[in-house]
Amino acid sequence: MAALSWPALLVALAASTACRKPPPRTLAGTAGPGNDVTLYRDTAVIRQRIELDLSATPTSVKAMLATGVTADQIVLLDRGGLTITGLHAQTAPGSEVDTAEEIDDTGDEGVPPPPDIEPGDPDESIIVELPALKKEKPTELTLDVQAPRAGKYAVIIAYTTQRLRWDVAYTMTTAATRDRGELRGALAIRNTTGIVLRTATARVIDAELVAWRGKSAEHLAASLVGGTHSSTLPAVPRELGRMVLGDGETRVDLVRDGSRRLRSVLVYDPIGTKLDNPGASPLRDPALGTLPKPSERVTESFEVARDVRGTQGLPAGPVRLLERKTDGALGVLGEARLFDAATRVSDVDTIAVGTAESVTATRERREFTIDEEARRLTEELVITIDNKRAIPVEVLVREHLYRGQNWTLAYHSAPEATKDGPQQISLRTRVPARSQTKILYVVVYTWGQ
């Protein structure tokens, strides 16, 4: 497991005292009430509260941490009024790694214990699969402590682990009218830390830890100094509340009975996100986005209105659109993904249900210019929609500004254009019966020195 370095926080303490100490005591419930868990895409950050009942004499106590945690990963957040002279973490017999730390207290207060919570029965329409992880023994932590007086104390430590894995899935169920859908979502968390985690607070953040912290710091700095914000917003945490994460898999409901408006729409998305370059400097390959030739397929889709407040912070995942028949049976209409970073600021989601008959589209580049002196790349594209139907159709054209994240939409001929995410726009138009409609747009990419 990759360790997260804390060089700014870890400073050497004096060596363990030479005096003879009583044998270490193993504490019950060391991963009990008061723990805080933050789940990222690549790792989890655990703030673990260790409850102690001590006499006034120097002693050693033991607690159990997540499998594989080493001493250099542990950050002492709150000493709880104790003098801690040694901290030792043993991950396997004969492989003890010691460290001693001098860290200021954070002043964290205790939190009340959570009620007993039992995981709910899984919903058959929501399937979340997680890869298996080998079970191993937890890490044994030993603290050498001195209490000012006999009594109860609490020490709070923090560390990262990759032994809390998660994934998410959604379903949306509609009736035969297909005008509204009920959104449901579930988070599956697999705990192979070797300990039971009762959390007072927990949350999921749909990003990798280092990337999320960097993006959050960037936006904070821009706000404080009045700078320009990046086009990519950091993921918003989704609070999960109190949980009991026992050994194995725990299911957490994210959305229940989230009624959403559905509307039929045709979608042309010839490129997708596969070419997206997250860098600030644009890619200059002239063939990018033109070779191989973009798809001409237009899909029959349902547009799903977002409840911005209710869906804030929901992690990205697959969704299945189901239709409930008059006899109560469920059938799958289509599949897609919801809440991806590419659509983070969009007001709607779309779920494709099939290929649109008698409607096709093409994507053609008309101009490609690089101005090195002005540090500017200009690209002009035209989308041609061919409607052979006997009725008008509404088409949503989804374009990905894949060359880089520093871009400006300089011109568009569509009646409506919206920004969906850091590198995605939607252009809407209405195509008359048995007619063609063209949408032209110009995008300008820039870069620094």
Side-chain angles (χ1 to χ4, degrees):
M1 180 182 69
L4 182 67
S5 175
W6 303 88
L9 297 177
L10 297 179
V11 182
L13 275 180
S16 301
T17 57
C19 63
R20 186 184 182 92
K21 301 182 182 66
R25 291 180 292 162
T26 301
L27 303 171
T30 55
N35 299 299
D36 177 276
V37 173
T38 302
L39 300 168
Y40 295 88
R41 277 288 180 186
D42 58 337
T43 192
V45 177
I46 298 178
R47 193 181 71 176
Q48 187 167 323
R49 181 183 175 91
I50 302 174
E51 307 277 355
L52 306 174
D53 189 357
L54 301 173
S55 64
T57 58
T59 187
S60 295
V61 293
K62 287 185 178 182
M64 295 301 171
L65 312 183
T67 296
V69 174
T70 57
D72 61 351
Q73 289 179 263
I74 299 171
V75 179
L76 184 56
L77 297 179
D78 190 347
R79 298 173 181 273
L82 299 173
T83 300
I84 299 178
T85 58
L87 182 155
H88 321 275
Q90 186 164 331
T91 59
S95 62
E96 183 174 335
V97 181
D98 295 349
T99 189
E101 308 171 22
E102 183 66 54
I103 303 174
D104 292 337
D105 292 350
T106 63
D108 289 350
E109 298 295 333
V111 292
D116 290 335
I117 304 173
E118 295 296 333
D121 294 332
D123 186 329
E124 293 181 357
S125 64
I126 301 177
I127 302 173
V128 184
E129 296 182 356
L130 289 171
L133 286 177
K134 181 182 177 182
K135 292 183 179 179
E136 297 179 17
K137 292 183 178 179
T139 294
E140 184 179 87
L141 174 69
T142 302
L143 294 171
D144 301 330
V145 300
Q146 169 70 64
R149 63 189 68 84
K152 294 183 178 180
Y153 298 85
V155 174
I156 299 177
I157 63 172
Y159 54 88
T160 62
T161 178
Q162 293 179 334
R163 289 279 167 173
L164 282 178
R165 305 286 292 275
W166 63 272
D167 212 338
V168 65
Y170 300 93
T171 64
M172 180 168 288
T173 306
T174 184
T177 56
R178 299 184 179 181
D179 59 347
R180 297 198 70 83
E182 296 293 326
L183 178 65
R184 300 188 67 183
L187 188 75
I189 305 172
R190 178 163 293 167
N191 179 9
T192 58
T193 63
I195 59 176
V196 176
L197 287 161
R198 289 178 175 266
T199 71
T201 53
R203 66 206 53 82
V204 61
I205 298 178
D206 190 16
E208 294 186 350
L209 172 58
V210 173
W212 184 82
R213 287 185 170 178
K215 187 61 64 178
S216 298
E218 175 186 312
H219 275 256
L220 176 61
S223 299
L224 292 176
V225 303
T228 302
H229 288 272
S230 166
S231 60
T232 308
L233 296 173
V236 177
R238 180 76 175 191
E239 295 297 328
L240 303 175
R242 298 183 174 191
M243 301 184 298
V244 177
L245 298 176
D247 182 52
E249 190 170 301
T250 300
R251 172 194 148 130
V252 181
D253 286 325
L254 292 175
V255 185
R256 273 191 175 273
D257 303 323
S259 181
R260 303 287 186 269
R261 178 177 57 83
L262 296 182
R263 191 168 68 92
S264 179
V265 66
L266 303 185
V267 176
Y268 181 53
D269 187 354
I271 302 297
T273 60
K274 60 183 180 294
L275 299 180
D276 284 3
N277 165 38
S281 182
L283 300 176
R284 306 185 186 192
D285 180 4
L288 194 66
T290 61
L291 295 176
K293 185 179 178 181
S295 170
E296 297 183 2
R297 179 175 181 255
V298 176
T299 62
E300 293 276 4
S301 303
F302 282 99
E303 186 175 81
V304 184
R306 278 193 190 176
D307 173 2
V308 177
R309 178 175 297 181
T311 59
Q312 190 174 49
L314 286 176
V319 61
R320 290 187 297 172
L321 179 61
L322 309 174
E323 182 181 26
R324 190 172 296 280
K325 310 292 185 181
T326 54
D327 61 358
L330 287 174
V332 178
L333 291 179
E335 298 183 350
R337 286 184 63 83
L338 295 181
F339 314 122
D340 274 324
T343 63
R344 188 161 287 159
V345 298
S346 179
D347 294 330
V348 298
D349 295 288
T350 57
I351 302 175
V353 297
T355 300
E357 294 184 4
S358 302
V359 181
T360 57
T362 58
R363 181 180 190 270
E364 178 187 0
R365 190 175 66 203
R366 294 283 183 84
E367 179 190 349
F368 179 79
T369 305
I370 299 177
D371 187 337
E372 294 287 357
E373 184 175 348
R375 299 186 181 89
R376 183 171 59 201
L377 186 156
T378 303
E379 199 165 17
E380 178 182 308
L381 298 109
V382 61
I383 309 295
T384 303
I385 305 164
D386 187 6
N387 176 23
K388 292 183 172 61
R389 295 182 181 181
I391 58 173
V393 295
E394 181 183 343
V395 180
L396 183 156
V397 176
R398 182 169 292 137
E399 279 290 271
H400 300 267
L401 310 181
Y402 40 76
R403 292 189 179 275
Q405 293 200 359
N406 288 346
W407 56 268
T408 300
L409 190 62
Y411 171 81
H412 70 85
S413 64
E416 182 182 351
T418 58
K419 178 181 176 180
D420 296 336
Q423 293 176 265
Q424 180 174 303
I425 59 173
S426 288
L427 305 163
R428 295 177 182 269
T429 191
R430 185 176 178 86
V431 186
R434 297 188 176 92
S435 299
Q436 287 187 346
T437 294
K438 295 182 183 291
I439 297 177
L440 184 143
Y441 75 92
V442 179
V443 59
V444 177
Y445 298 90
T446 58
W447 62 93
Q449 299 197 15

